């Protein structure tokens, strides 16, 4: 792969706990992932991003990191992680890991030292009086320790925020980056990347964070082809672009696209804004339809309101499964054709719906508990994958996965879908193969096609047409390479996308 592989890569997101279970304890692990690397290769992934794999009490699915240089024993060992990296590289798959610099775990050595000794508290945010900030997961952002002081946690109380005014915190993360780059990791996804610094009045997007990333860039650049990817939920495009300046992060997730309703004008606006914003700094855009924090597209696109608001999962809202499925297929081909990088969240390629009827007592996401149950949380998009067979656990491994899978997923297993040429899985497989030849990094030229249709041609000469209107529209001339739904008489039905090689 080229030095700038990340500019157009298709990156598959593995939520390890729910991907594949190699040792039968009901929780996905490195052994399970290793056994499924050929599946990801055949799918057409260029890289794999793994959610945190470190030792963790799992108060927030591993985003409460107790040791940044180890592997959670439930997932495997450090030696096994190194084997995974080597095996992935043999298949020409890059490995991206998650680094969580905003907060730690109350189980970390540093926090335990801070609890034991008030003189060791400067690595975190301890104060004599709590402020009035609310946690992003609901409830107060300050928790009191037995001696009376309070510490800040923008997320769960088990996730104390680091103090980035302390140089030791900087040194620690620089060392953590080197630790993993030395082991062959090809990139890091930076969790909550805009939150690091705080003032007494603000906790997001403070200017000193850019010095951190400038420094991290010099570290990444001292290795070959390593990439820094930001998780930035920033509505202000100018502020967002600052993180992608040539001496900072390489790319960031496009949450505007992910949150956008299935509406042609809105989508076109977001696509144009994305392209313009990224062009100002020369960074490639990315296209993201889902991840482990958001409602699955098949469910979201079947609702009357097809947008997604962070923290705003809406269980119980009626969703038309057929409509959602058709739109999710059309959205997949649209996202694959756009210029830049692509993210695919595990299960998206199987067209899995959000599981909305999990028993409340099994819900593990702190968002659910901290909202007093008003927010169902994110467990519904984290249910273990169905691989094969006719009944749960559908080849996931072990007799009982950590979250139960719906019986109806028998039709959605990877095995069943491989055998069905029209399945979502085969759409993704063909789409990602063609994407490598026809799309990825580059530019697009819009074609005039009315306001309910998104149509553009890419540098390769291949045209993408997505019909978001209520009526079929005629296709342009050219050979159809792939379509998300059945075409009749060269008409593109509603909620369908087609790719054509135009003459
Ligand atoms: C990010 C992660 C999310 C996690 C949060 C706190 O938004 O994607 O899963 O809960 O950060 O670490």
């Amino acid at each position: 792969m080229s030095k700038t592989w990340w500019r157009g890569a298709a990156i598959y997101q593995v939520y390890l706990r729910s991907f594949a279970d190699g040792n039968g304890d009901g929780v996905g692990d490195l052994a399970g992932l290793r056994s499924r690397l050929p599946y990801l290769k055949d799918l057409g992934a260029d890289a794999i991003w793994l959610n945190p794999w470190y030792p963790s009490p799992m108060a927030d699915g591993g985003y409460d990191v107790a040791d940044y240089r180890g592997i959670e024993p439930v997932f495997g060992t450090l030696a096994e992680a190194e084997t995974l990296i080597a095996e992935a590289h043999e298949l020409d798959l890059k490995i991206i890991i998650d680094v969580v610099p905003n907060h730690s775990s109350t189980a970390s050595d540093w926090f335990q030292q801070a609890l034991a000794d008030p003189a060791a508290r400067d690595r975190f945010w301890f104060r004599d009086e709590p402020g009035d900030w609310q946690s992003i997961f609901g409830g107060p952002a300050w928790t009191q320790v037995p001696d009376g002081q309070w510490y800040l946690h923008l997320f769960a109380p088990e996730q104390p925020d680091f103090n980035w005014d302390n140089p030791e915190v900087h040194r620690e993360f620089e060392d953590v980056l080197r630790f993993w780059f030395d082991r062959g990791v090809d990139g890091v996804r930076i969790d909550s990347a805009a939150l690091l610094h705080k003032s007494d009045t603000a906790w997001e997007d403070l200017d000193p964070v850019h010095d951190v990333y400038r420094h991290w860039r010099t570290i990444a650049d001292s290795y070959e082809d390593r990439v820094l990817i930001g998780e930035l939920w920033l509505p202000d495009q100018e502020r967002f672009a600052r993180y992608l300046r040539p001496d900072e992060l390489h790319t960031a997730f496009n949450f505007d696209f992910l949150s956008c309703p299935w509406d042609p004008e809105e989508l076109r606006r977001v696509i144009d804004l994305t392209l313009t914003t990224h062009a100002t700094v020369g960074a490639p855009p990315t296209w993201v339809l889902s991840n482990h924090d958001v409602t699955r597209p098949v469910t979201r696109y079947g609702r009357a309101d097809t947008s997604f608001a962070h923290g705003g999962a809406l269980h119980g809202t009626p969703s038309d499964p057929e409509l959602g499925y058709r739109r999710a297929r059309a959205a997949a081909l649209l996202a694959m054709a756009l210029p830049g990088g692509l993210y695919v969240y595990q299960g998206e390629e199987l067209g899995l719906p959000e599981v909305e009827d999990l028993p409340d007592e099994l819900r593990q996401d702190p968002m659910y508990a901290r909202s007093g149950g008003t927010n169902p949380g994110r467990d519904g998009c984290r249910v273990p994958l169905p691989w094969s067979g006719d009944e749960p656990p559908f080849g996931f491994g072990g007799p009982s996965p950590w979250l139960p899978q719906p019986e109806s997923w028998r039709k959605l297993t990877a095995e069943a879908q491989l055998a069905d040429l029209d399945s979502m899985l085969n759409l993704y497989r063909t789409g990602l193969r063609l994407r490598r030849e026809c799309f990825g990094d580059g530019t697009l030229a819009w074609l005039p096609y009315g306001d309910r249709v998104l149509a553009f041609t890419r540098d390769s000469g291949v045209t993408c047409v997505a019909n978001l209107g209520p009526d079929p529209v005629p296709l342009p001339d050219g050979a159809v390479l792939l379509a998300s739904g059945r075409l009749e008489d060269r008409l593109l039905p509603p909620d369908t996308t087609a790719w054509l090689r135009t003459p």
Side-chain angles (χ1 to χ4, degrees):
M1 242 181 271
S2 80
K3 278 197 149 334
T4 50
W5 62 272
W6 45 273
R7 292 191 67 93
I11 300 177
Y12 185 94
Q13 181 190 349
V14 167
Y15 192 71
L16 203 50
R17 289 207 288 172
S18 303
F19 186 69
D21 172 14
N23 67 358
D25 64 359
V27 182
D29 50 30
L30 292 177
L33 172 56
R34 286 174 56 204
S35 73
R36 301 286 179 182
L37 286 177
Y39 169 86
L40 297 180
K41 182 67 192 169
D42 292 346
L43 178 64
D46 299 309
I48 300 168
W49 153 38
L50 288 105
N51 290 100
W53 57 4
Y54 315 102
S56 165
M58 296 283 157
D60 180 23
Y63 283 95
D64 45 325
V65 179
D67 171 9
Y68 288 84
R69 296 175 187 78
I71 295 291
E72 163 60 36
V74 170
F75 295 152
T77 62
L78 184 57
E80 203 173 2
E82 292 183 86
T83 309
L84 165 80
I85 296 167
E87 288 172 347
H89 286 170
E90 296 245 306
L91 293 173
D92 209 14
L93 288 166
K94 306 276 188 188
I95 295 285
I96 295 163
I97 62 165
D98 219 307
V99 168
V100 188
N102 177 66
H103 46 269
S104 177
S105 161
T106 44
S108 66
D109 284 351
W110 276 13
F111 196 78
Q112 287 299 314
Q113 288 164 22
L115 280 185
D117 176 7
R121 290 187 175 170
D122 191 54
R123 294 155 173 161
F124 300 95
W125 271 80
F126 276 89
R127 293 287 181 274
D128 290 332
E129 297 295 331
D132 59 3
W133 291 345
Q134 290 294 295
S135 137
I136 293 167
F137 288 163
W142 295 86
T143 289
Q144 196 168 28
V145 298
D147 59 38
Q149 279 209 313
W150 300 75
Y151 67 90
L152 174 70
H153 51 87
L154 288 181
F155 294 93
E158 295 86 350
Q159 295 168 293
D161 279 42
F162 283 116
N163 171 17
W164 275 89
D165 295 331
N166 181 326
E168 229 188 316
V169 174
H170 290 243
R171 283 202 299 275
E172 168 72 355
F173 276 93
E174 289 156 17
D175 190 65
V176 165
L177 286 183
R178 289 199 181 90
F179 179 90
W180 291 108
F181 286 154
D182 285 344
R183 277 161 185 76
V185 156
D186 301 286
V188 296
R189 177 260 190 194
I190 304 162
D191 185 67
S192 304
L195 303 191
L196 277 39
H197 292 79
K198 279 106 198 167
S199 70
D200 287 332
T201 52
W203 50 261
E204 189 170 38
D205 192 28
L206 272 70
D207 286 339
V209 73
H210 295 285
D211 293 332
V212 172
Y213 296 138
R214 269 185 214 108
H215 196 70
W216 287 20
R217 182 63 180 255
T218 63
I219 295 174
D221 286 350
S222 70
Y223 294 79
E224 261 184 48
D225 310 341
R226 304 304 210 270
V227 57
L228 304 174
I229 303 162
E231 188 211 16
L232 300 159
W233 291 83
L234 292 175
D236 181 322
Q237 293 293 308
E238 193 272 327
R239 302 288 307 177
F240 171 89
R242 287 157 56 95
Y243 290 78
L244 302 182
R245 289 177 289 198
D247 59 348
E248 297 194 36
L249 309 182
H250 296 78
T251 67
F253 295 91
N254 188 345
F255 292 123
D256 290 339
F257 186 70
L258 178 151
S259 314
C260 189
W262 185 245
D263 172 88
E265 279 156 35
E266 272 301 297
L267 275 167
R268 169 129 188 194
R269 186 188 64 76
V270 166
I271 294 168
D272 277 336
L273 191 62
T274 299
L275 296 176
T276 324
T277 302
H278 286 76
T280 59
V281 281
T286 65
W287 307 99
V288 191
L289 292 173
S290 70
N291 68 26
H292 64 293
D293 293 328
V294 311
T295 309
R296 291 258 187 209
V298 164
T299 302
R300 177 161 67 89
Y301 287 140
R303 292 175 174 162
D305 177 358
T306 50
S307 64
F308 177 81
H310 191 42
L314 295 164
H315 284 190
T317 312
S319 173
D320 174 341
E322 257 168 57
L323 182 65
Y325 184 75
R326 193 162 71 238
R327 288 176 172 170
R329 290 174 64 94
L333 292 200
L334 173 65
M336 285 182 204
L338 287 164
L342 176 82
Y343 285 86
V344 177
Y345 172 49
Q346 68 178 44
E348 193 182 302
E349 82 282 16
L350 301 176
L352 298 185
E354 185 83 1
V355 181
E356 301 195 301
D357 57 357
L358 288 168
D360 287 345
E361 64 280 9
L362 295 184
R363 290 187 192 279
Q364 297 204 6
D365 184 1
M367 266 189 173
Y368 171 70
R370 287 188 64 80
S371 69
T374 56
N375 184 326
R378 301 162 292 178
D379 294 306
C381 66
R382 299 174 177 180
V383 172
L385 292 194
W387 289 98
S388 57
D390 285 329
E391 53 188 47
F394 296 120
F396 174 69
S400 94
W402 68 279
L403 285 174
Q405 302 151 308
E407 300 275 346
S408 57
W409 281 13
R410 69 168 55 83
K411 294 191 291 275
L412 298 177
T413 63
E415 180 186 55
Q417 296 202 41
L418 274 179
D420 171 5
L421 281 184
D422 292 332
S423 67
M424 185 73 100
L425 180 55
N426 276 321
L427 183 77
Y428 268 79
R429 283 163 58 105
T430 312
L432 291 174
R433 182 173 52 75
L434 287 170
R435 178 182 182 274
R436 203 171 269 159
E437 290 159 31
C438 309
F439 304 126
D441 192 25
T443 56
L444 66 67
W446 289 107
L447 300 175
Y449 230 111
D451 10 320
R452 310 300 294 165
V453 177
L454 299 173
F456 54 85
T457 299
R458 292 294 317 273
D459 325 55
S460 58
V462 174
T463 292
C464 172
V465 189
N467 180 9
L468 283 84
D471 305 309
V473 294
L475 283 170
D477 289 343
V480 176
L481 298 178
L482 187 63
S484 67
R486 213 174 289 283
L487 309 176
E488 269 168 41
D489 303 330
R490 290 198 67 85
L491 286 178
L492 186 66
D495 296 316
T496 309
T497 300
W499 296 346
L500 300 98
R501 200 176 291 282
T502 36

